[in-house]
Amino acid sequence: MANTFLQAEWRKLAMANYAVDKSLLNSYLPHRTELDLWNNTCYVSLVGFLFTNTKLKGFRIPFHTNFEEVNLRFYVRYNDSGTWKRGVVFVKEIVPKPALTLVANTVYKENYETMPMEHSWITANHTITAEYKWKKGRWHSIKVKADQVSVQIAAGSEEEFITEHYWGYTRITSTKTSEYQVEHPKWDVYPTKGYHIDVDFGNIYGEEFDFLKNENPKSVFLAEGSPIKVNAGKII
């Protein structure tokens, strides 16, 4: 049985998905993984959501049960003895709690950064609006407006590709990669009505990503999310 490291709920995931040149991600690619494409397109996704009811190894940590996260991620796969595992790699994860950043960066070699953060969920006129904001120099934000009634994700769709990567991979060294499994059911999505993204990508994620501030995402959607489990990792 898998050793559960973290339990929580991920809710109201605002996801903006950009097509990029594969060469952009070569230096971020963990050892033994390769880029996972959809319809021959390489994606990076800006994702904002809320952690709720968070437990670390079964315990609630005071003041660390409910908090925002925004991350920039891309998609990989790993051939494990003939079985392809589809996963994500994080360029950076932003959270509002310094303790989360300290543990993630020192123990798990992730790339977390602490920033002031806010979120809002507003339901009105048959529309749900989810917005996530974070501050570095100025406030940055991703906001999605969607129909209030959610629908199932269609099989073989872009939404399915983006949401159904159930492994996480982290580059430890040039020859060492951390692997962990994320468990959650299939998510519903809210049909998108509109969005607004105001992010200085170069300031937040590095100059190589600066061009994204002038790019339109190929898609934007709002997923409901679910309870999740993150299982303890291993080195591959």
Side-chain angles (χ1 to χ4, degrees):
M1 183 175 294
N3 181 12
T4 300
F5 171 71
L6 181 146
Q7 293 174 276
E9 296 182 30
W10 292 347
R11 293 296 179 182
K12 301 295 189 294
L13 295 94
M15 314 182 85
N17 311 296
Y18 297 83
V20 300
D21 191 288
K22 292 183 292 184
S23 63
L24 173 68
L25 302 173
N26 286 340
S27 63
Y28 295 90
L29 197 63
H31 181 59
R32 301 184 68 184
T33 68
E34 62 182 62
L35 292 172
D36 194 13
L37 310 182
W38 187 76
N39 283 354
N40 205 36
T41 300
C42 180
Y43 283 92
V44 296
S45 297
L46 179 69
V47 182
F49 63 102
L50 191 69
F51 264 91
T52 67
N53 300 319
T54 305
K55 296 180 182 179
L56 192 65
K57 294 188 175 180
F59 295 95
R60 296 181 186 273
I61 309 301
F63 311 110
H64 291 76
T65 56
N66 302 317
F67 54 90
E68 300 90 351
E69 178 176 315
V70 171
N71 64 62
L72 187 69
R73 71 187 203 180
F74 65 95
Y75 304 91
V76 300
R77 61 181 189 166
Y78 163 58
N79 191 334
D80 186 359
S81 301
T83 299
W84 284 105
K85 296 177 176 178
R86 300 170 64 222
V88 301
V89 177
F90 295 102
V91 176
K92 179 178 288 187
E93 296 166 85
I94 300 167
V95 291
K97 304 288 188 179
L100 299 171
T101 298
L102 179 64
V103 171
N105 290 353
T106 57
V107 178
Y108 298 100
K109 308 303 181 185
E110 296 278 3
N111 185 21
Y112 275 63
E113 188 170 349
T114 306
M115 301 180 194
M117 301 186 76
E118 297 177 356
H119 80 281
S120 64
W121 299 343
I122 299 172
T123 301
N125 300 319
H126 307 291
T127 297
I128 183 169
T129 302
E131 182 175 23
Y132 299 92
K133 301 173 69 176
W134 60 105
K135 188 176 184 180
K136 186 175 184 179
R138 64 171 179 84
W139 284 100
H140 310 258
S141 65
I142 175 173
K143 178 167 65 176
V144 182
K145 293 184 178 181
D147 193 279
Q148 189 178 340
V149 179
S150 63
V151 297
Q152 292 184 336
I153 289 177
S157 66
E158 182 190 41
E159 290 91 344
E160 183 183 66
F161 172 83
I162 295 295
T163 60
E164 295 193 11
H165 281 74
Y166 293 107
W167 297 87
Y169 294 97
T170 303
R171 181 186 175 98
I172 305 299
T173 69
S174 61
T175 59
K176 187 183 296 185
T177 295
S178 171
E179 176 194 72
Y180 58 90
Q181 185 180 22
V182 180
E183 298 182 37
H184 65 74
K186 290 179 178 290
W187 292 336
D188 286 354
V189 293
Y190 299 92
T192 302
K193 292 183 173 181
Y195 67 89
H196 181 72
I197 299 169
D198 180 14
V199 178
D200 184 345
F201 283 90
N203 180 34
I204 303 294
Y205 301 107
E207 287 303 311
E208 63 267 44
F209 294 99
D210 187 61
F211 73 99
L212 290 176
K213 68 185 180 185
N214 299 316
E215 294 287 319
N216 291 321
K218 285 184 67 68
S219 65
V220 177
F221 57 88
L222 182 67
E224 171 52 40
S226 67
I228 63 97
K229 292 182 180 180
V230 178
N231 295 324
K234 66 178 183 180
I235 300 299
I236 61 171

